[in-house]
Amino acid sequence: MADLIIDAFSSQTRLRDMIRAIRACKTAAEERAVVRKECAVIRASISENDQDYRHRNLAKLMFIHMLGYPTHFGQMECLKSIASAGFPEKRIGYLGLMLLLDERQEVLMLVTNSLKQDLNHSNPYIVGLALCALGNICSAEMARDLAPEVEKLFQSRDPNIRKKAALCSVRIIKKVPDLAENFMSPAATLLKEKHHGAMIAGVQLCTDLCKVSLEALEYFRKKSTEGLVKALKERVNSPYTPEYDISGISDPFLHIRLLRLLRVLGQGDADASDCMNDILAQVATKTETNKNAGTAILYECVETIMSIEDNSGLRVLAINILGRFLSNRDNNIRYVALNMLMRAIAVDAQAVQRHRITILECVKDSDASIRKRALELIFLLVNENNVKPLTKELIDYLQVSDQEFKGDLTEKICSIVEKFSMEKIWYIDKMLKVLSEAGNFVKDEIWHALIVVISNASDLQGYTVRSLYRAFQTSSEQESLIRVAVWCIGEYGEMLVNNVGMLEKEDPLTQVTESDAVDILEAAIKRHTSDITTRALSLVALLKLSSRFPSCSKRISDIITEHKGSFVLELQQRSIEFNSIIDKHQNIRSTLLERMPVLDEASYNSKRKSGSLPPTTSAPTGASPKLPNGVVKSPVAPIADLLDLSSDDAPVPSSSGGDFLPDLLGGSLTSLPSLTGTGQAPSNGTDILMDLLSIGTPTTQNDVSTSDLLSTNHNNTPSGTPLERLSPPSPFSPQVSTPTATTPVMDLLDGFSPTLSNKKNSTDLHFSGNNGPVYPSIIAFQSSSLKIEFSFSKQPENLQSTLINATFTNMSSNVYTDFIFQAAVPKFIQLHLDPASGNTLPASGNGSVGQSLRVTNSQHGQKHLAMRIRVAYKVNNKDVLEQGQISNFPPGL
Amino acid sequence: MIHFVLLISRQGKVRLTKWYSPYSQKERTKVIRELSGVILTRVPKLCNFVEWRGFKVVYKRYASLYFCMCIDQEDNELEILEIIHHYVEILDRYFGSVCELDLIFNFHKAYYILDEILIAGELQETSKKTVARLVAAQDLMVETAKEEASSISNIIAQATK
């Protein structure tokens, strides 16, 4: 007869056989075939509504589901199985329900009715099945519908039903916190249970009730705190109970849950905290910790001590326990110690500091989880006193750390160095170290920020460029190191060659020749791993050096020429344009390629904080003037572009050398029509440059974007564009330039200036607003060595004209001779400079020189006044040049 | 709270999955793939915790099987290790020195046992004896029902002879 039954099943394979068949498959394709066949049989059986095989079909589907195949067609079978009367069907049906469905499926709602019936079933095991299913997957709707049934089950005589009902309620109140109220009193009753399961479930329910409802928290605090303390005491002192014993401790799970609930109750309540002090101290001192179970209890206890209201004695105890954990050999224990110390910082940072050395060791652990925790902890422990040794340790470790950890480590080090950069030289030193060790992991914004800082640290530029030169020799594989090195050599190459600004601590570099510097750039551009950003930066740097290193001019030109055929449009365009500048425009080259003006640190930092670059806002393009400030302004665009280049979403499509040139040329071109007088400007040169622009670039677009950028810049809007943020609004620090460079610049400016007085030029000014009789004086320009103040007056009958009285004060301790002030304005403004009251500025602000300027704003009321200035003078017979842009004119001029 | 329980073999085969938080089928596959990649590659003697998507995954290897439980940041990792061990001990008693094959061919039994230990991602029963008793009682009910069914079919078969 038994055979007959087996026969009845023979139309299908048995579950066991299916599993065997699947396990026997050698390839994924074979497995798929077996599964497909099985699924076909199951589907057929389902459509025949075959009840005999339902049990087996569901079991098979679950197995198939675990392998990752779709089994949605079995969902209805689960519901049918649950709805049938027998226990075996219900058991497998509920299991299938929990496995094959999740709470987001509509089908789930259909089971609500069956659940309701089963919750009221006379068989406690069926009630248990229903509670388990409800607790594991119920949705908010089901929770609402079935909560009354579950609530009734708290009265059940069977403790196993009560415990299941309690945990099921945990899910219900998480889904529908409004229902919390209904469960408060039944939960409180469970806390007095003798049955461990029921009590554990009750404690859990209370904990979750406190989390969702303040009312519940108050209720349990008043009603149950003492009872819980007593229960924990009983646990701690309980004799050996084999049923619950885990490595010598009776039911550590219950210990832990009780401690957790006490923590919730004690947090923010001094009375409740007071009530539990004794027992916490007892747990903290008496728990055996040679086994994991004991450690788990102690860990929970420490967390409770840290969270409840202050008791300094207990906290000392807790921190000491953590210290012991930290020196444990077991990685798990060290991990949790680090985890907990992180929370302990908020309570007692000083105590955590004591373990700094050990924590630092953990950063170097072989276990990634521990390293990560320790690094985060160290990051929180850094302060002004320990930042230097800690940073040194971390950077040292960077050299030997795993590749996959370097990213995290680098990010944290950079973050620390930036946060605590009290001395620029320290910041630069550390950043260069990080770049040399892990430059490939340094994010773009980090090295951008470094460049901004270098550009501001005029006394460290020589040192920096020499350090970078050295670093390049040893770490030429680190992309961002190369970028920074290339940029600095391009800007400060002559400091490298001439050993300018040598610091005392610095080792003298063996003489670097101009050709050595160019070698670096050539290596950077030719490295096969260099990406487009690095190559583009190298091209700009080469161009810049071409004017400063006359001896290498030919070689640079050759290197640039090589890239004329580059398949990367960006590089091709740059090389072609740069090549023209080198070959055809010797006379303006040095001016074009001057050093970049100092980047504004504050605005760069605020930009970094506010997130990525905002999109360039375009003003109406036709009307906006091309501001003829190319000469001074030019390098701003490349840096903007340089900083943008690596981000994929650079706002200006032509962000490239394209920006750079039109900007340069925009300046020269617009002033061209008014070219007069003493100008020896190379007018044909400008024409060629104009041609040059149209090679391979959509000129108009470039022009538009440039002028947009510039005009917004001059409008001095508070939000500002990327360019404005990058370019300094007014203060410039002094820049030393060689005498040879100065003269052509001045000539050039003269040539281009629309209105000329002797050795004075004008560039941009804007006017707007109405006249007012009184305008506040401004400090137009201030550096460490020089201050320029402007005061204004206006004739009421002629709103367009403004008389500016400039006062120059020497802030340094040396006398300035041959002092010359120059100004430039946009072409809609006319400028007339009267002779200055003198050309010698006494030292230390003892006296000043005055000069009056008359500006006429032809677009008064529409445009603001803006001006670029340049001051040349001699200190101890050395030429000094300072320059700046004034955009803080009072409105209405 | 335990968000899910995974049993993964050393070869990366899934032996049991239990989800207490809503994850769609697609997410489930992704989670399993991600975690087996992380956990199976960890060498012995490292700590048993992995930080993952803002959660912690506590895992422990028993023979060829990795038992993994995903918990919240603030949960007690060491306790979860004990829960895993609790489950393994119960399995061991139930099957009589359990091995991976037991869990493959009787995977549903492994689920039934787990359902007596955890509900809603929380611990339900700390007594191994109670769990064993409850599971055995339910198994017995299934056996009885089967016997009844077969005796009925015997009667039918005899009647229709």
Side-chain angles (χ1 to χ4, degrees):
Chain A
M1 240 26 262
D3 290 343
L4 192 128
I5 293 165
I6 291 165
D7 275 352
F9 285 90
S10 64
S11 65
Q12 275 192 326
T13 49
R14 295 183 306 167
L15 172 65
R16 181 164 285 272
D17 295 332
M18 182 193 81
I19 295 175
R20 261 195 209 115
I22 289 174
R23 281 171 55 77
C25 294
K26 293 213 169 48
T27 64
E30 257 179 74
E31 185 185 288
R32 275 198 297 276
V34 173
V35 170
R36 205 180 305 123
K37 215 175 105 208
E38 284 291 344
C39 284
V41 175
I42 295 170
R43 274 172 195 269
S45 165
I46 288 173
S47 61
E48 283 165 25
N49 204 8
D50 190 336
Q51 297 186 15
D52 296 339
Y53 296 136
R54 188 174 281 149
H55 190 283
R56 178 193 287 174
N57 286 343
L58 276 177
K60 281 184 181 175
L61 278 177
M62 282 184 244
F63 191 84
I64 291 170
H65 176 86
M66 273 202 293
L67 296 175
Y69 295 92
T71 50
H72 49 274
F73 56 87
Q75 290 173 351
M76 283 312 286
E77 285 300 286
C78 297
L79 304 194
K80 283 184 198 160
S81 190
I82 290 169
S84 55
F87 179 79
E89 287 76 21
K90 280 188 189 295
R91 197 186 195 195
I92 194 89
Y94 276 120
L95 184 58
L97 183 80
M98 289 186 280
L99 197 59
L100 305 182
L101 274 79
D102 67 69
E103 66 171 276
R104 281 175 294 203
Q105 273 152 330
E106 295 283 308
V107 194
L108 195 57
M109 281 306 286
L110 300 175
V111 86
T112 312
N113 214 30
S114 299
L115 276 170
K116 192 166 183 167
Q117 281 174 4
D118 287 345
L119 288 173
N120 291 310
H121 206 280
S122 56
N123 182 339
Y125 292 107
I126 290 180
V127 178
L129 288 178
L131 280 171
C132 178
L134 191 63
N136 285 350
I137 61 164
C138 83
S139 61
E141 289 90 344
M142 289 166 79
R144 237 181 254 283
D145 290 346
L146 297 172
E149 259 65 32
V150 176
E151 206 185 315
K152 267 188 259 166
L153 290 171
F154 278 84
Q155 312 299 326
S156 165
R157 273 184 296 129
D158 185 346
N160 290 314
I161 297 293
R162 294 201 295 271
K163 77 181 181 199
K164 284 189 159 76
L167 289 184
C168 187
S169 314
V170 167
R171 181 161 180 122
I172 290 176
I173 57 155
K174 275 185 188 165
K175 291 283 163 198
V176 190
D178 301 350
L179 292 172
E181 211 183 327
N182 304 354
F183 291 99
M184 271 156 50
S185 136
T189 321
L190 282 181
L191 296 181
K192 297 181 189 112
E193 287 270 359
K194 287 281 167 268
H195 185 276
H196 280 222
M199 180 162 187
I200 259 193
V203 173
Q204 188 61 51
L205 177 56
C206 291
T207 312
D208 281 303
L209 280 168
C210 292
K211 282 184 192 156
V212 297
S213 152
L214 267 180
E215 196 191 337
L217 177 62
E218 283 304 321
Y219 175 85
F220 290 120
R221 213 175 248 163
K222 280 212 187 73
K223 203 161 181 284
S224 312
T225 309
E226 280 178 35
L228 288 164
V229 169
K230 218 175 115 206
L232 183 57
K233 222 170 249 167
E234 276 172 33
R235 281 296 98 231
V236 173
N237 301 319
S238 84
Y240 174 72
T241 42
E243 193 174 353
Y244 297 101
D245 184 78
I246 294 179
S247 40
I249 297 166
S250 165
D251 207 341
F253 302 110
L254 187 52
H255 277 93
I256 290 172
R257 263 139 243 267
L258 284 169
L259 284 166
R260 196 175 298 159
L261 180 53
L262 285 177
R263 167 159 85 241
V264 174
L265 298 178
Q267 220 161 9
D269 189 290
D271 290 342
S273 301
D274 226 32
C275 180
M276 59 189 77
N277 277 341
D278 287 349
I279 184 67
L280 291 179
Q282 196 185 341
V283 173
T285 45
K286 287 208 174 148
T287 311
E288 285 291 330
T289 55
N290 44 7
K291 289 279 168 52
N292 182 59
T295 320
I297 294 176
L298 208 49
Y299 175 46
E300 197 70 40
C301 183
V302 167
E303 180 158 13
T304 299
I305 292 173
M306 293 291 185
S307 306
I308 63 170
E309 290 313 294
D310 193 27
N311 177 316
S312 45
L314 274 182
R315 285 195 174 162
V316 170
L317 190 61
I319 301 245
N320 288 342
I321 291 173
L322 291 181
R324 238 167 47 222
F325 277 16
L326 203 56
S327 51
N328 199 299
R329 280 237 222 77
D330 186 332
N331 277 338
N332 287 342
I333 296 175
R334 281 198 296 151
Y335 176 89
V336 297
L338 291 168
N339 207 17
M340 190 58 67
L341 283 170
M342 202 120 142
R343 279 176 242 181
I345 285 185
V347 175
D348 188 352
Q350 225 28 56
V352 182
Q353 288 284 2
R354 283 204 295 276
H355 300 291
R356 206 172 57 228
I357 309 297
T358 325
I359 298 167
L360 199 58
E361 285 309 305
C362 293
V363 173
K364 304 170 188 172
D365 200 273
S366 58
D367 188 334
S369 296
I370 290 187
R371 282 198 306 250
K372 192 159 177 263
R373 274 283 132 240
L375 183 61
E376 272 168 33
L377 189 53
I378 280 287
F379 184 64
L380 294 178
L381 285 178
V382 174
N383 61 28
E384 277 151 25
N385 302 324
N386 60 25
V387 61
K388 287 192 174 175
L390 277 181
T391 315
K392 185 180 177 303
E393 283 278 349
L394 292 177
I395 291 178
D396 287 349
Y397 178 59
L398 194 55
Q399 302 173 2
V400 291
S401 68
D402 285 355
Q403 285 299 316
E404 63 262 36
F405 189 50
K406 276 193 171 138
D408 278 348
L409 191 56
T410 309
E411 196 184 327
K412 285 283 188 284
I413 296 175
C414 291
S415 174
I416 292 171
V417 171
E418 288 191 335
K419 201 164 140 201
F420 293 96
S421 58
M422 297 153 292
E423 302 153 28
K424 274 187 175 172
I425 183 156
W426 181 79
Y427 167 81
I428 291 174
D429 270 348
K430 295 300 150 192
M431 288 308 297
L432 294 194
K433 267 236 169 83
V434 173
L435 285 174
S436 317
E437 292 303 335
N440 291 332
F441 297 94
V442 172
K443 295 213 169 71
D444 284 345
E445 55 168 35
I446 304 283
W447 66 263
H448 292 174
L450 174 62
I451 285 188
V452 174
V453 171
I454 295 173
S455 136
N456 279 282
S458 50
D459 48 337
L460 295 175
Q461 283 157 354
Y463 168 72
T464 308
V465 70
R466 284 188 295 276
S467 307
L468 279 164
Y469 179 82
R470 271 195 213 104
F472 187 93
Q473 313 285 343
T474 51
S475 317
S476 58
E477 291 312 308
Q478 307 293 348
E479 197 76 34
S480 36
L481 174 78
I482 294 176
R483 290 183 190 168
V484 177
V486 160
W487 187 88
C488 286
I489 291 173
E491 290 296 317
Y492 315 116
E494 70 278 6
M495 296 185 173
L496 174 65
V497 176
N498 302 329
N499 280 335
V500 175
M502 207 65 174
L503 301 184
E504 272 178 31
K505 66 163 197 169
E506 210 178 329
D507 295 332
L509 202 60
T510 44
Q511 185 55 45
V512 180
T513 64
E514 297 186 346
S515 159
D516 291 338
V518 176
D519 280 346
I520 296 273
L521 299 181
E522 190 174 8
I525 205 168
K526 289 191 173 155
R527 265 172 89 235
H528 64 280
T529 48
S530 285
D531 66 1
I532 171 174
T533 309
T534 312
R535 284 171 206 235
L537 278 170
S538 309
L539 279 175
V540 175
L542 281 166
L543 176 68
K544 290 208 151 189
L545 289 189
S546 71
S547 75
R548 289 178 226 168
F549 291 177
S551 70
C552 293
S553 192
K554 173 76 179 71
R555 185 168 157 219
I556 289 172
S557 168
D558 288 345
I559 300 172
I560 291 179
T561 311
E562 276 175 43
H563 286 81
K564 271 183 170 177
S566 170
F567 288 122
V568 184
L569 186 63
E570 172 68 42
L571 300 180
Q572 187 189 49
Q573 185 185 334
R574 281 190 196 220
S575 358
I576 292 173
E577 287 167 352
F578 293 174
N579 197 46
S580 301
I581 294 175
I582 294 174
D583 287 353
K584 299 181 186 156
H585 305 285
Q586 302 285 347
N587 40 3
I588 61 161
R589 192 174 64 189
S590 57
T591 321
L592 278 173
L593 304 179
E594 260 180 22
R595 190 174 296 159
M596 180 120 68
V598 175
L599 302 160
D600 186 23
E601 237 171 326
S603 58
Y604 180 73
N605 289 339
S606 67
K607 185 192 79 175
R608 269 183 79 188
K609 280 191 194 97
S610 66
S612 58
L613 291 168
T616 317
T617 44
S618 301
T621 50
S624 69
K626 294 171 192 149
L627 296 171
N629 51 3
V631 172
V632 189
K633 180 90 188 214
S634 60
V636 175
I639 187 75
D641 127 45
L642 185 156
L643 295 174
D644 271 350
L645 219 141
S646 43
S647 65
D648 292 336
D649 50 357
V652 186
S654 60
S655 75
S656 65
D659 271 0
F660 167 66
L661 279 171
D663 185 17
L664 283 176
L665 298 172
S668 343
L669 290 176
T670 41
S671 37
L672 204 58
S674 50
L675 195 73
T676 48
T678 56
Q680 309 112 336
S683 55
N684 63 335
T686 323
D687 285 337
I688 296 162
L689 274 174
M690 225 172 144
D691 289 342
L692 187 115
L693 250 188
S694 51
I695 300 170
T697 45
T699 320
T700 43
Q701 196 192 351
N702 281 338
D703 274 347
V704 168
S705 66
T706 315
S707 52
D708 283 351
L709 289 169
L710 294 176
S711 60
T712 6
N713 189 9
H714 283 265
N715 286 340
N716 200 20
T717 49
S719 63
T721 63
L723 256 181
E724 189 192 4
R725 290 172 163 179
L726 288 167
S727 68
S730 61
F732 271 60
S733 60
Q735 292 189 353
V736 184
S737 67
T738 55
T740 45
T742 321
T743 333
V745 170
M746 279 156 57
D747 288 346
L748 188 87
L749 280 171
D750 284 347
F752 284 162
S753 58
T755 53
L756 293 179
S757 32
N758 194 19
K759 290 271 183 193
K760 282 133 201 156
N761 54 13
S762 42
T763 315
D764 48 0
L765 277 189
H766 297 252
F767 276 78
S768 88
N770 303 316
N771 72 316
V774 180
Y775 296 93
S777 298
I778 59 167
I779 293 176
F781 176 86
Q782 182 153 26
S783 70
S784 57
S785 50
L786 182 70
K787 186 165 89 172
I788 304 177
E789 279 176 283
F790 278 9
S791 60
F792 308 94
S793 56
K794 219 184 230 303
Q795 301 292 326
E797 64 273 16
N798 188 355
L799 293 175
Q800 292 191 337
S801 303
T802 311
L803 185 70
I804 302 175
N805 274 309
T807 317
F808 311 110
T809 316
N810 174 0
M811 318 286 285
S812 78
S813 50
N814 299 314
V815 181
Y816 297 170
T817 55
D818 299 321
F819 183 88
I820 295 168
F821 168 78
Q822 303 166 296
V825 290
K827 76 168 177 181
F828 62 86
I829 295 171
Q830 297 212 321
L831 171 70
H832 179 81
L833 280 156
D834 290 333
S837 62
N839 65 353
T840 304
L841 275 182
S844 313
N846 291 327
S848 56
V849 169
Q851 188 164 17
S852 54
L853 303 78
R854 231 188 349 265
V855 291
T856 310
N857 182 351
S858 62
Q859 299 197 37
H860 178 253
Q862 295 161 28
K863 299 252 167 79
H864 291 283
L865 208 54
M867 187 180 286
R868 284 200 162 266
I869 57 159
R870 176 175 290 246
V871 178
Y873 51 87
K874 283 188 176 173
V875 188
N876 301 332
N877 261 341
K878 264 179 87 179
D879 282 287
V880 177
L881 189 69
E882 293 193 49
Q883 52 191 356
Q885 176 189 320
I886 307 169
S887 42
N888 58 340
F889 284 104
L893 291 176
Chain B
M1 173 195 177
I2 298 167
H3 294 280
F4 54 80
V5 178
L6 294 181
L7 260 67
I8 309 173
S9 78
R10 220 158 52 120
Q11 287 77 33
K13 294 260 188 221
V14 182
R15 296 304 177 208
L16 180 144
T17 63
K18 186 85 186 174
W19 309 85
Y20 297 103
S21 290
Y23 288 84
S24 71
Q25 300 297 341
K26 229 182 175 170
E27 284 168 329
R28 291 179 186 185
T29 324
K30 213 173 145 226
V31 167
I32 294 170
R33 203 182 319 119
E34 243 177 68
L35 279 178
S36 31
V38 177
I39 291 170
L40 299 183
T41 51
R42 280 173 69 87
V43 295
K45 288 201 178 162
L46 300 186
C47 71
N48 295 77
F49 320 124
V50 174
E51 293 182 25
W52 171 82
R53 294 198 197 170
F55 296 106
K56 281 186 242 170
V57 177
V58 178
Y59 71 93
K60 186 147 192 200
R61 187 179 158 182
Y62 289 88
S64 58
L65 272 184
Y66 285 84
F67 288 70
C68 317
M69 293 189 180
C70 172
I71 52 169
D72 289 317
Q73 282 291 345
E74 67 271 11
D75 286 337
N76 188 329
E77 304 89 341
L78 300 177
E79 189 208 7
I80 299 295
L81 281 176
E82 286 302 324
I83 293 182
I84 291 177
H85 191 70
H86 185 56
Y87 180 37
V88 172
E89 279 197 309
I90 293 170
L91 285 174
D92 203 53
R93 279 190 206 182
Y94 183 86
F95 288 103
S97 109
V98 66
C99 68
E100 192 181 342
L101 278 182
D102 290 327
L103 299 186
I104 295 171
F105 285 102
N106 294 295
F107 68 92
H108 48 299
K109 299 281 174 60
Y111 278 103
Y112 291 142
I113 293 171
L114 186 62
D115 280 342
E116 290 298 331
I117 298 174
L118 299 176
I119 288 186
E122 301 293 352
L123 185 63
Q124 174 190 180
E125 183 55 67
T126 54
S127 158
K128 296 176 190 67
K129 225 163 91 188
T130 309
V131 174
R133 189 168 49 79
L134 291 173
V135 174
Q138 295 178 66
D139 285 351
L140 187 69
M141 281 173 72
V142 174
E143 285 307 312
T144 322
K146 257 192 198 164
E147 269 165 32
E148 271 172 28
S150 67
S151 66
I152 289 171
S153 52
N154 277 357
I155 293 164
I156 296 170
Q158 271 171 351
T160 53
K161 225 173 215 173

